[in-house]
Amino acid sequence: MLLMLGAMMEGVTPCFILYTDWVEEIFQTAVSTNHNLSLSGGTDKLSFYSSFGYNNNPGIIDNAGYERYSFRSNIEAKPTKWLTLGMKLNGYLSNNEIGSDRIDDVFTYGYASTPGIVLRHPDGRFGGAQAKGEDIQTNNPLAYLYKNEGNKKERNFRAAFNGVITPFKGLSISGSYSYELTDKDNWSKPNLNDLWDFQTESVVRAATDRTYIYNYNRKIERMFMDGVVRYENSFVDNQLDLNVMVGASQEMRRDRSFSGQKYDWIDSSVDVINGATGDALASGSHTEWAMRSYFGRINLGWADRYLLEANLRADASSRFLKGNRWGYFPSFSAGWRIDQEAFMEGTRNWLDALKLRVSYGELGNNYLDSDYMAIASYSQSNYSLGNVLQVGMTQTALANGNLTWESTAVSNVGVDFTVLNGRLSGTTEYFYKKTSDILIDLPAPLVHGNSSIPTQNSAEVQNQGFELTLNWSDKINDFHYNIGTNVTFVDNKVTKFKGDEASISGSTMIKEGYPINVQYVLVADRIIQSQADLDYVQSLIDNAPIGEDGKKVDPFQSYKRPEMGDVLYKDMDGNGIFNDDDRVAMGHGDTPRFFYDINLGCEWKGFDFSMLMSGTGSQKVQYQTMHTTNIPASGYQIGQEIADGRWYEGRTTPAKYPRLLLNDSRNTRNSTLWETDKAFFKIRNIQLGYTLPEKWVKAATLSRVRVFCSLENFFTFTSFAGMDPETTKLTYPTIRQASFGLNVSF
């Protein structure tokens, strides 16, 4: 019995075939358990809110679930009219099953397993090769989930304190401090699982791993504090509104980790380092960064018609050296309430609001792959001196002391409107975004040796587009309903990178004048399936260009001459030779240019219904994973679509895919043949609820009771070849969830 896993997991176009044993053993129906308790209360001078929660989620993949305990407590006190104090405490404790570290292996080795493998015997043993001729190295994806025994604990605690002083009307002085600690504590050791042939009751692959005990601890601290002064008032007979804010903030993040591993355990039940007697390994790291900021804002409004706002931020980052740490980022916006003008008097019966606004703003980004790219880094390097081994240090990465902030400037022009007594409202907006001084790696001369080249502020990208939002809300007697939509179109282009040089990674390219990560692929002309096709190939050889040696060039020297069942690519540069120079840029990069959301809702006599949908426009990508390629290999999966659609001798219908070739990639080069479209339409959430009549709940001394049910991620419509168009690779799938709940208010 066969099952299409893609259809089971996500409701998308089925993508590959596996035996149900694979699905039933590794994937399971997960029923999450959630318990939450909330308490609140207080007086005019003191209020509090506390909640406690417990969540047990077994996950949909075996041995990859978690449980979590959480709490939250908020307290606010007003000891005087001019002073407010507050405290917020929250945190959680989570326990994760160790198989969650092996989820990627499930999909990686799921390709590399034969469909007939018995994943697990009822007595707990794991299966290997079962049929004659099967590769004994065939992987068991379920065994990888149990490759280790252990536990992953994570503790998080955050405390935030704040205070506000209002010495007189219009002026407030506030300050806050927060501290967050995340403590990760893991341990693991190998499970020595043999792989069995249950027909012969023999071990086909013995577990030969060396035993060890591994301990790991990581502590992440984050401290944040700020101070803000605000003043607001009205002048000139309340025609002029003034709002001023100035403030400062700083934050620090520390990350320290330590791990130890010791081999040859004394007993398999021990989980501490001292439970092993062999050689040991240890490693540790400590990184930190800090940032300090000053900021200010002024808002002016005249007669509730003309609005102006100006901002300025100054940020300093420890990731850059002195002299380059500070970045300055201004912004401003202006608005005009056109509907308030006297000449709009005649529109009052249908126009509720109309505002024109323009804005310009700059933002900074100081993220780096490493917190220390502005300074040189070193690592241990052994060398010989006097025939004696010496321990030294070598520079592994060159520093760039000129690194500084990456900046983004955004300009917007928009119109907001509300008409027909508030039933129809919307926003239309044009935006232009330019990101400068993007941090990239430029090409380097060989004189630098093996040291990696420092990142530099050298790239520039522009984005522009428009956004439209519309909402309609109305009622018919007791029936209230609303519908809303948001549509966004955005186009991007690399305006500065490496000159004429391109950066090519797989099927994508970054180059000036093109969208980011534009597809750079061959164009498939045809699959050779007839004598006429073979004659055409021969004509290409007969008309090949003459080389410098006066002889005809072999046009297929790079790609091999295509035979029956092979792909013939197009000669896009027209030189009569078929090679990588025939690749062309296609599409609009690694993101679609068109996005949209739709939301629906209605209420009627206590019943309420809502639905959220979203989708994207076309985005072509290459999709060649082990189940969609056509290179057969021992112990690997071949998708049904590939198998049924391939060319083979004697085929009477046109083939969609080329022939299967063992260990030959001539037909799997990135090309239009392997294109798939990631455009999709998803119904993300559907919820139906019912609120009990007020007279019923009052009899039980309650204020509100609502029951509801919801479906999340249940429906996806797409032609994408994979499981989920929002993830290119086959990985942990988007989870479908059915929820039932009860909300009770006292």
Side-chain angles (χ1 to χ4, degrees):
M1 179 180 178
L2 296 175
L3 179 68
M4 294 185 176
L5 181 63
M8 183 201 76
M9 295 305 300
E10 189 57 20
V12 301
T13 302
C15 54
F16 66 107
I17 302 298
L18 293 176
Y19 276 85
T20 52
D21 287 346
W22 202 95
V23 176
E24 292 170 355
E25 286 287 342
I26 295 178
F27 295 91
Q28 58 191 11
T29 300
V31 179
S32 300
T33 303
N34 294 278
H35 302 283
N36 296 281
L37 173 65
S38 300
L39 301 172
S40 61
T43 64
D44 292 341
K45 292 190 175 183
L46 180 67
S47 61
F48 70 90
Y49 169 82
S50 297
S51 66
F52 306 89
Y54 170 73
N55 175 238
N56 184 6
N57 189 332
I60 64 169
I61 292 182
D62 209 17
N63 197 33
Y66 73 90
E67 62 176 352
R68 176 168 172 156
Y69 302 86
S70 60
F71 79 95
R72 178 181 298 275
S73 181
N74 299 341
I75 300 176
E76 184 176 281
K78 296 183 178 180
T80 67
K81 292 183 179 180
W82 52 268
L83 177 62
T84 301
L85 300 174
M87 179 179 70
K88 297 179 180 180
L89 304 175
N90 61 78
Y92 62 83
L93 167 64
S94 66
N95 295 303
N96 297 273
E97 292 180 314
I98 199 67
S100 58
D101 284 339
R102 295 281 180 176
I103 290 176
D104 287 343
D105 289 340
V106 170
F107 299 100
T108 300
Y109 296 108
Y111 304 140
S113 64
T114 57
I117 190 173
V118 178
L119 296 181
R120 181 165 51 188
H121 192 276
D123 64 12
R125 290 178 296 164
F126 295 95
Q130 304 292 312
K132 183 178 179 180
E134 282 186 344
D135 188 346
I136 64 170
Q137 299 303 316
T138 292
N139 294 281
N140 184 327
L142 180 61
Y144 275 93
L145 287 172
Y146 288 91
K147 190 175 181 66
N148 293 90
E149 176 186 352
N151 185 259
K152 299 171 60 181
K153 288 185 180 292
E154 184 170 314
R155 307 173 184 88
N156 176 274
F157 174 75
R158 180 175 181 179
F161 307 92
N162 66 281
V164 180
I165 300 174
T166 54
F168 54 84
K169 183 180 179 181
L171 177 66
S172 66
I173 304 171
S174 62
S176 69
Y177 173 82
S178 65
Y179 174 83
E180 182 176 9
L181 173 64
T182 301
D183 186 4
K184 301 182 178 184
D185 190 11
N186 306 345
W187 69 268
S188 66
K189 55 187 178 182
N191 275 326
L192 303 181
N193 294 316
D194 298 328
L195 297 187
W196 288 77
D197 182 339
F198 297 115
Q199 298 184 80
T200 62
E201 285 296 322
S202 60
V203 175
V204 295
R205 194 197 309 177
T208 58
D209 297 339
R210 189 179 178 187
T211 65
Y212 64 83
I213 298 171
Y214 173 78
N215 287 179
Y216 169 82
N217 183 259
R218 181 183 181 187
K219 289 182 172 62
I220 303 172
E221 294 179 284
R222 180 181 178 272
M223 290 153 280
F224 177 87
M225 62 186 302
D226 68 358
V228 179
V229 179
R230 295 180 175 86
Y231 177 74
E232 58 180 329
N233 208 339
S234 298
F235 305 92
V236 193
D237 296 328
N238 293 325
Q239 292 290 298
L240 176 63
D241 296 319
L242 171 68
N243 190 313
V244 180
M245 181 271 291
V246 293
S249 67
Q250 61 182 29
E251 62 179 307
M252 174 181 283
R253 184 181 186 273
R254 293 195 184 105
D255 189 338
R256 184 185 294 272
S257 65
F258 174 81
S259 65
Q261 181 170 309
K262 200 170 185 179
Y263 289 92
D264 305 330
W265 64 39
I266 299 173
D267 186 273
S268 61
S269 64
V270 180
D271 58 15
V272 295
I273 292 292
N274 282 346
T277 59
D279 49 310
L281 301 172
S283 65
S285 66
H286 179 201
T287 62
E288 64 179 47
W289 60 264
M291 191 165 76
R292 177 170 294 165
S293 304
Y294 298 98
F295 45 87
R297 180 180 67 225
I298 182 170
N299 292 85
L300 294 172
W302 178 263
D304 201 26
R305 266 182 265 173
Y306 312 109
L307 311 171
L308 177 67
E309 178 180 306
N311 297 268
L312 178 64
R313 285 190 64 92
D315 299 306
S317 172
S318 66
R319 292 186 171 108
F320 310 125
L321 298 185
K322 291 181 179 179
N324 295 316
R325 284 181 177 164
W326 285 96
Y328 301 93
F329 309 104
S331 65
F332 74 88
S333 62
W336 179 21
R337 291 283 306 277
I338 304 176
D339 59 285
Q340 299 298 310
E341 297 290 352
F343 60 79
M344 298 292 290
E345 189 69 32
T347 65
R348 297 280 193 261
N349 60 333
W350 61 271
L351 179 63
D352 305 309
L354 179 64
K355 181 169 73 172
L356 173 67
R357 51 185 171 79
V358 295
S359 66
Y360 172 85
E362 296 183 18
L363 297 172
N365 175 30
N366 69 338
Y367 176 79
L368 299 171
D369 291 336
S370 167
D371 292 334
Y372 307 106
M373 296 181 72
I375 59 178
S377 60
Y378 298 83
S379 66
Q380 177 181 324
S381 178
N382 298 335
Y383 64 97
S384 176
L385 180 63
N387 292 326
V388 178
L389 183 65
Q390 304 288 339
V391 178
M393 302 291 288
T394 184
Q395 185 173 352
T396 57
L398 301 180
N400 180 4
N402 292 321
L403 284 176
T404 189
W405 288 82
E406 179 181 299
S407 63
T408 299
V410 183
S411 302
N412 294 67
V413 178
V415 176
D416 304 327
F417 64 89
T418 304
V419 297
L420 304 178
N421 295 319
R423 286 177 290 177
L424 177 64
S425 62
T427 296
T428 180
E429 183 172 331
Y430 168 80
F431 58 87
Y432 177 84
K433 176 181 176 182
K434 182 178 180 181
T435 304
S436 306
D437 294 329
I438 300 175
L439 297 159
I440 63 170
D441 297 319
L442 292 175
L446 296 177
V447 69
H448 287 289
N450 293 327
S451 296
S452 62
I453 304 304
T455 296
Q456 301 180 47
N457 297 95
S458 299
E460 192 174 272
V461 174
Q462 71 176 28
N463 290 265
Q464 59 181 329
F466 67 85
E467 183 174 1
L468 174 66
T469 301
L470 294 173
N471 291 283
W472 174 269
S473 178
D474 200 3
K475 67 176 182 176
I476 303 174
N477 298 325
D478 293 334
F479 182 73
H480 296 252
Y481 68 96
N482 63 275
I483 180 172
T485 184
N486 175 272
V487 178
T488 302
F489 175 85
V490 60
D491 204 4
N492 75 78
K493 182 169 67 174
V494 179
T495 54
K496 181 181 179 183
F497 188 58
K498 300 179 181 180
D500 293 332
E501 181 179 343
S503 177
I504 300 172
S505 177
S507 65
T508 63
M509 175 182 72
I510 299 178
K511 188 177 181 180
E512 289 183 15
Y514 293 90
I516 299 174
N517 289 326
V518 67
Q519 288 288 302
Y520 190 59
V521 297
L522 298 165
V523 178
D525 184 301
R526 70 190 73 179
I527 296 175
I528 305 301
Q529 304 184 62
S530 66
Q531 185 60 46
D533 292 332
L534 290 176
D535 293 341
Y536 179 66
V537 171
Q538 184 61 47
S539 70
L540 295 173
I541 297 174
D542 295 340
N543 296 308
I546 305 299
E548 295 180 356
D549 57 0
K551 299 180 180 179
K552 279 190 176 182
V553 176
D554 180 2
F556 300 108
Q557 183 176 1
S558 297
Y559 283 179
K560 297 182 182 178
R561 176 175 177 163
E563 302 174 14
M564 289 292 283
D566 290 338
V567 180
L568 174 65
Y569 303 102
K570 287 188 177 181
D571 176 22
M572 299 303 293
D573 59 8
N575 63 0
I577 300 173
F578 298 83
N579 54 29
D580 285 351
D581 292 338
D582 292 315
R583 291 177 293 179
V584 294
M586 305 179 68
H588 305 287
D590 58 359
T591 57
R593 297 196 294 173
F594 179 67
F595 305 84
Y596 61 91
D597 295 291
I598 303 172
N599 61 80
L600 303 173
C602 61
E603 296 179 6
W604 179 73
K605 294 185 177 180
F607 290 95
D608 62 89
F609 173 82
S610 65
M611 183 163 59
L612 176 63
M613 299 157 282
S614 67
T616 69
S618 177
Q619 182 199 353
K620 302 291 184 62
V621 298
Q622 295 287 299
Y623 194 77
Q624 290 191 72
T625 55
M626 286 307 300
H627 61 278
T628 57
T629 189
N630 68 334
I631 302 179
S634 177
Y636 281 77
Q637 306 284 349
I638 287 291
Q640 184 184 29
E641 184 181 359
I642 299 295
D644 292 345
R646 79 193 189 283
W647 180 91
Y648 54 86
E649 189 173 352
R651 186 182 181 106
T652 58
T653 57
K656 183 179 179 181
Y657 297 104
R659 61 175 173 156
L660 302 182
L661 289 174
L662 186 64
N663 299 323
D664 191 328
S665 61
R666 73 175 73 180
N667 292 322
T668 62
R669 293 183 175 91
N670 292 318
S671 72
T672 53
L673 177 70
W674 301 106
E675 266 187 356
T676 184
D677 198 333
K678 292 182 66 178
F680 69 86
F681 172 73
K682 284 190 174 186
I683 302 178
R684 296 192 179 273
N685 180 270
I686 302 175
Q687 185 169 128
L688 176 65
Y690 178 67
T691 301
L692 273 61
E694 187 177 347
K695 61 181 179 180
W696 293 4
V697 298
K698 279 190 173 181
T701 66
L702 302 174
S703 61
R704 185 172 184 267
V705 176
R706 177 177 178 267
V707 294
F708 67 91
C709 59
S710 68
L711 301 177
E712 293 186 29
N713 301 315
F714 260 69
F715 304 100
T716 298
F717 305 91
T718 182
S719 61
F720 180 58
M723 287 175 58
D724 188 345
E726 293 186 284
T727 57
T728 301
K729 295 181 179 180
L730 185 60
T731 184
Y732 197 92
T734 302
I735 299 175
R736 297 179 181 178
Q737 296 187 81
S739 303
F740 304 88
L742 173 67
N743 294 332
V744 179
S745 301
F746 296 90

